Amino acid sequence: MKTIHLVVGIVLTLMCIFFMGFREIGRYPDKIWLDIKNLTLENRITALSSLNKLMEYFQIKKERLIIEGQNWKALEVFTQNGYYTSYYIPYDDPDNLSRKEQKCFIKGLQEIVDRKVVSALSFPGCWYAEIKESLNRSIDLLTWEHRSSQLQLLLSSVGREMLFDPQLKVILVKDKGKYHR
């Protein structure tokens, strides 16, 4: 149990420093996407309690956060407490999977969506076409295209489809800048 509190404590300490930095410059971003890598059923209540305290202390509204994790069962408590949550789809690139494996993953996603325990699904852009074609569920979608620039996204047919898809709420694009590796 101490390990759980220690890990959650480190994460929340870093979040506190992060929020303090935004407070120092006088502006929080419109949305803050928190990817909680170590969220489990065992630490979900501690994480929720600590996050609630930080939100109150820094006077940040819950609506400004996206809470993402790989454990949809652990995310449920955040959803029930008014947070916008996203289940991170941890599957390999669909091109590396058999059609049977893809169908199995989609069926699992459909079951998660039907339970209404998360607000959204988040996934790398390589899953976009398969999810749009096969999921057949009403849920927000969040994705990223880290290997594309904004211009590349605009010039590709899939990128334009993504941009005009009302179900797709966020597309993170990492532009190559001066300090990009």
Side-chain angles (χ1 to χ4, degrees):
M1 195 66 151
K2 290 182 181 186
T3 304
I4 292 169
H5 290 291
L6 176 63
V7 172
V8 171
I10 291 169
V11 169
L12 293 172
T13 300
L14 292 173
M15 285 175 43
C16 188
I17 292 167
F18 179 69
F19 290 157
M20 285 170 54
F22 284 125
R23 187 173 67 183
E24 283 297 313
I25 63 172
R27 184 179 185 286
Y28 292 106
D30 293 335
K31 291 280 186 185
I32 301 169
W33 188 324
L34 297 176
D35 179 357
I36 305 177
K37 302 269 188 215
N38 67 325
L39 185 63
T40 64
L41 288 173
E42 292 78 25
N43 69 10
R44 72 189 188 281
I45 301 301
T46 303
L48 174 65
S49 174
S50 298
L51 182 59
N52 283 338
K53 289 175 188 171
L54 283 174
M55 300 303 286
E56 184 178 330
Y57 180 80
F58 288 103
Q59 299 177 345
I60 300 172
K61 295 182 184 203
K62 291 179 181 181
E63 297 81 32
R64 296 178 81 178
L65 292 185
I66 298 170
I67 307 296
E68 180 189 60
Q70 289 187 25
N71 187 322
W72 61 268
K73 291 178 183 177
L75 285 168
E76 183 174 19
V77 71
F78 288 85
T79 306
Q80 291 171 342
N81 279 272
Y83 286 97
Y84 184 91
T85 58
S86 185
Y87 170 61
Y88 168 74
I89 299 172
Y91 310 139
D92 287 339
D93 185 321
D95 291 340
N96 297 335
L97 303 171
S98 70
R99 190 68 193 139
K100 184 178 179 181
E101 289 172 314
Q102 290 177 23
K103 285 182 177 186
C104 181
F105 290 147
I106 293 294
K107 186 175 191 280
L109 292 177
Q110 289 171 331
E111 291 171 4
I112 292 168
V113 172
D114 291 345
R115 291 174 184 261
K116 300 191 184 313
V117 295
V118 294
S119 313
L121 300 175
S122 49
F123 50 88
C126 61
W127 271 97
Y128 175 74
E130 180 64 30
I131 287 172
K132 280 305 290 185
E133 180 182 312
S134 304
L135 185 65
N136 299 318
R137 297 293 190 273
S138 178
I139 189 165
D140 290 352
L141 303 176
L142 316 175
T143 192
W144 51 90
E145 285 286 346
H146 288 316
R147 288 169 180 67
S148 296
S149 68
Q150 289 180 22
L151 182 60
Q152 288 171 317
L153 188 69
L154 287 169
L155 293 176
S156 75
S157 59
V158 173
R160 285 190 306 279
E161 180 183 341
M162 291 167 77
L163 287 169
F164 292 104
D165 181 350
Q167 190 176 9
L168 191 56
K169 303 302 181 189
V170 175
I171 305 172
L172 296 177
V173 178
K174 182 164 82 173
D175 273 339
K176 292 183 173 135
K178 182 176 178 182
Y179 301 102
H180 181 60
R181 293 186 222 189

